[in-house]
Amino acid sequence: MNKDLGHKAAKGAIWATIDRFGSMTIQFAVNLILARLLLPKDFGIIGMLAVFTAISQTLIDGGFGSALIQKKVPTQTDYSTIFYWNIFFSTILYILLFLFAPLIAEFYKMPLLCNVLRLLALSLILNGALTIQRTRLQKSLAFKSIAIVNISSYLIGATSAVIMAYKGFGVWSLVGMQLIYSGSGIILMWLVTRWKPSFEFSINSIKELFGFGGYIMAANILQTISQNVQGIIIGKRFSATQMGYFSQAYKLDQITSYTIPQVIVQVMYPVYSSIQDDKKRLNEMVLMNMRVITFIVYPILAVLILIAAPLIEFLYGQKWLPSAPYFQVLCVGGFFVCLQNLNFYAIAAVGKSKSLFKWSFYKWGFLLASLIIGMNFGMYGILWGMVISSANIFLTNAFLARKHTGLEVGKQIFSITPIIIIILSSTIISYCIHLFTNNIAIYLFTYLTSYFYLSFISHLKALDDTKNIIFQIISYRR
């Protein structure tokens, strides 16, 4: 990575980290409060509807955001065209959801879902107005502006939700949080960027961008369905309360399995695209990012699996304890989830979105089959089906990366193997200490001390990679 690009990426990493962890902290804090003010059923209702709003949001983007980032020099006409298209298409999707809301409520046999979906879906139109502005900033690595808007919007939406929940609005406080967050985002984005679309619309821009983005959109739709289809199965086969337990466990798992890795992926995708013609350099960056993510995320997941029950009770209260074993299984899947998007975006950066689309049918078909088989064994069957599917997605993306960028699967696995060995060694050492004391604080101290000490004396490359990134960020700040 050259110096200028390195500084841009370092700057982006700083603000992407502030964005992710600032927003995550607000979300986490408000979730702690709402979990004590609301019932598991309230969270379950929103979880049942997630698949419909998530698919609609993916359709609105249409892969155009990724296409604009992948395109080397997008024009004002490109941005304006997609802006107007998003507004139009999001309105059409809202009308469809409004009309089908009664049928969805009937499917779940919960009349309340009709009005909840009709109000919640308004966020689609609001988000449609935000997509292109956020894409422009991401394209230029202007993550500072994105962070300011996101954190401020989350803070406004979260505060509103807590007030509504305290006043007894129940599930409507969760709906209000999403609408207020999106509405605040529109206002703040205009204030921060001052960008305005031109009065022009180009069919040629739609065709050109859809040539790449269409396949990304199709792949993302399948991915979105697969990520949310378990909500349909759980909500239909079990209950809103069970869905609430799952939803809470899933959100907590996402903090580690998804949010932390996404900081790196969000920054690196534009960088990957800028060096798409240099496969060797691209692969080196992917391996470096993989080592850093594994070094940071894997030990956290291991600890969370071991302390799940006391952690859930401490954070959310005793009424949420049934979600602890769900959380443990999801953390196992997190070992694969946290690495999935590195290969995915490396493949997208070299323009092979069509291949991603084709293989999406296999990946998400595999997940659907795992869930259908798993649901016959209850909630845990569904959860372990998700874990097996996550492993399959990682391996599939890794094999596709070998095909399109030349990065060998074995090389990827070999690059993180030393970290896994050190984690296992640290676990054994801390477990031996745990035999003499049940103090969680002592266990965690022993685990983390062993992990960093073994990493240091073994000259772990991932430790050096992580330190280099930190030093680069510090150097940038100076």
Side-chain angles (χ1 to χ4, degrees):
M1 189 186 300
N2 61 47
K3 188 174 181 180
D4 290 339
L5 190 58
H7 278 185
K8 280 188 175 182
K11 180 180 179 181
I14 292 172
W15 284 105
T17 302
I18 293 173
D19 179 12
R20 285 287 171 180
F21 285 96
S23 300
M24 182 181 70
T25 300
I26 296 171
Q27 288 178 317
F28 183 68
V30 74
N31 196 44
L32 292 180
I33 299 172
L34 292 177
R36 295 178 182 273
L37 294 174
L38 303 176
L39 299 173
K41 181 179 178 180
D42 296 324
F43 290 91
I45 289 172
I46 299 300
M48 290 177 181
L49 299 175
V51 64
F52 304 103
T53 55
I55 292 173
S56 298
Q57 187 59 55
T58 303
L59 285 169
I60 291 169
D61 177 70
F64 290 125
S66 296
L68 287 167
I69 292 175
Q70 198 271 344
K71 185 175 181 178
K72 292 185 177 180
V73 188
T75 64
Q76 172 71 2
T77 300
D78 292 330
Y79 285 123
S80 300
T81 297
I82 304 306
F83 175 83
Y84 292 125
W85 169 259
N86 284 350
I87 297 295
F88 167 76
F89 197 55
S90 61
T91 303
I92 296 298
L93 287 174
Y94 173 75
I95 293 173
L96 290 175
L97 285 177
F98 186 93
L99 294 175
F100 281 97
L103 296 178
I104 294 172
E106 175 63 24
F107 172 78
Y108 286 115
K109 299 189 184 305
M110 292 186 66
L112 177 63
L113 292 182
C114 178
N115 290 333
V116 171
L117 179 58
R118 284 177 169 176
L119 188 58
L120 183 65
L122 285 172
S123 63
L124 297 175
I125 300 176
L126 300 176
N127 290 335
L130 275 172
T131 302
I132 294 306
Q133 291 179 328
R134 187 175 284 115
T135 298
R136 289 182 68 256
L137 295 174
Q138 188 178 356
K139 173 74 175 177
S140 59
L141 298 178
F143 290 98
K144 177 179 179 180
S145 297
I146 296 176
I148 291 172
V149 172
N150 284 344
I151 293 175
S152 301
S153 301
Y154 277 127
L155 187 59
I156 295 171
T159 302
S160 303
V162 171
I163 294 173
M164 291 177 68
Y166 182 76
K167 295 292 184 179
F169 281 87
V171 68
W172 298 105
S173 59
L174 299 175
V175 176
M177 178 168 61
Q178 182 58 51
L179 292 175
I180 294 170
Y181 160 69
S182 299
S184 301
I186 291 177
I187 297 172
L188 294 172
M189 188 65 80
W190 285 104
L191 292 175
V192 169
T193 66
R194 301 290 182 179
W195 178 81
K196 296 180 181 179
S198 305
F199 291 102
E200 53 186 336
F201 187 92
S202 171
I203 297 298
N204 289 332
S205 290
I206 291 283
K207 291 180 178 179
E208 178 188 357
L209 294 171
F210 193 78
F212 173 86
Y215 291 111
I216 290 290
M217 176 193 70
N220 285 339
I221 288 173
L222 291 173
Q223 181 175 357
T224 301
I225 292 173
S226 69
Q227 289 175 337
N228 292 277
V229 70
Q230 60 267 19
I232 297 177
I233 295 174
I234 295 171
K236 179 65 176 177
R237 191 175 180 90
F238 298 97
S239 67
T241 299
Q242 288 292 96
M243 182 62 207
Y245 290 139
F246 168 81
S247 178
Q248 201 69 280
Y250 186 76
K251 283 189 288 186
L252 187 58
D253 169 63
Q254 288 291 284
I255 293 175
T256 305
S257 300
Y258 180 78
T259 301
I260 296 175
Q262 193 64 13
V263 171
I264 294 177
V265 173
Q266 182 181 10
V267 173
M268 297 312 298
Y269 178 47
V271 178
Y272 287 169
S273 297
S274 70
I275 58 172
Q276 58 186 274
D277 297 325
D278 190 343
K279 298 290 179 62
K280 181 179 179 181
R281 190 177 170 198
L282 174 62
N283 291 338
E284 289 173 351
M285 292 184 65
V286 171
L287 287 175
M288 183 268 289
N289 293 332
M290 186 171 289
R291 289 191 296 269
V292 171
I293 289 175
T294 304
F295 180 75
I296 296 172
V297 175
Y298 273 31
I300 297 176
L301 288 171
V303 168
L304 291 176
I305 290 172
L306 295 171
I307 66 169
L311 178 66
I312 293 289
E313 184 175 10
F314 173 76
L315 293 176
Y316 303 126
Q318 194 172 17
K319 68 180 178 182
W320 287 98
L321 271 176
S323 66
Y326 298 173
F327 177 60
Q328 289 175 311
V329 179
L330 290 173
C331 283
V332 175
F335 288 110
F336 303 102
V337 172
C338 68
L339 300 177
Q340 289 174 358
N341 283 339
L342 285 173
N343 285 310
F344 183 92
Y345 283 107
I347 298 164
V350 297
K352 299 299 181 180
S353 59
K354 187 174 182 179
S355 180
L356 290 172
F357 166 64
K358 290 180 178 179
W359 278 91
S360 291
F361 286 100
Y362 162 71
K363 290 186 293 185
W364 311 127
F366 185 95
L367 171 61
L368 184 59
S370 299
L371 293 176
I372 292 174
I373 294 172
M375 72 181 184
N376 295 298
F377 300 92
M379 279 294 300
Y380 292 104
I382 292 176
L383 292 169
W384 283 109
M386 292 172 62
V387 172
I388 295 171
S389 173
S390 295
N392 178 64
I393 292 170
F394 166 71
L395 291 174
T396 301
N397 288 346
F399 279 109
L400 288 175
R402 183 189 66 175
K403 177 180 178 181
H404 297 298
T405 72
L407 181 56
E408 294 293 334
V409 180
K411 198 169 185 179
Q412 294 187 43
I413 296 175
F414 180 77
S415 70
I416 65 174
T417 297
I419 305 172
I420 297 173
I421 293 173
I422 290 176
I423 289 174
L424 293 174
S425 301
S426 301
T427 301
I428 293 172
I429 293 172
S430 55
Y431 179 76
C432 291
I433 298 296
H434 182 65
L435 292 176
F436 299 97
T437 175
N438 290 324
N439 190 299
I440 293 179
I442 295 176
Y443 172 82
L444 292 177
F445 176 79
T446 304
Y447 179 88
L448 294 176
T449 301
S450 301
Y451 180 69
F452 285 109
Y453 178 72
L454 292 175
S455 298
F456 177 76
I457 64 173
S458 63
H459 303 288
L460 190 68
K461 188 171 180 58
L463 177 61
D464 294 332
D465 292 329
T466 305
K467 288 192 297 184
N468 289 337
I469 289 178
I470 294 173
F471 289 150
Q472 190 172 32
I473 291 174
I474 294 174
S475 175
Y476 163 75
R477 294 302 295 169
R478 291 176 178 174

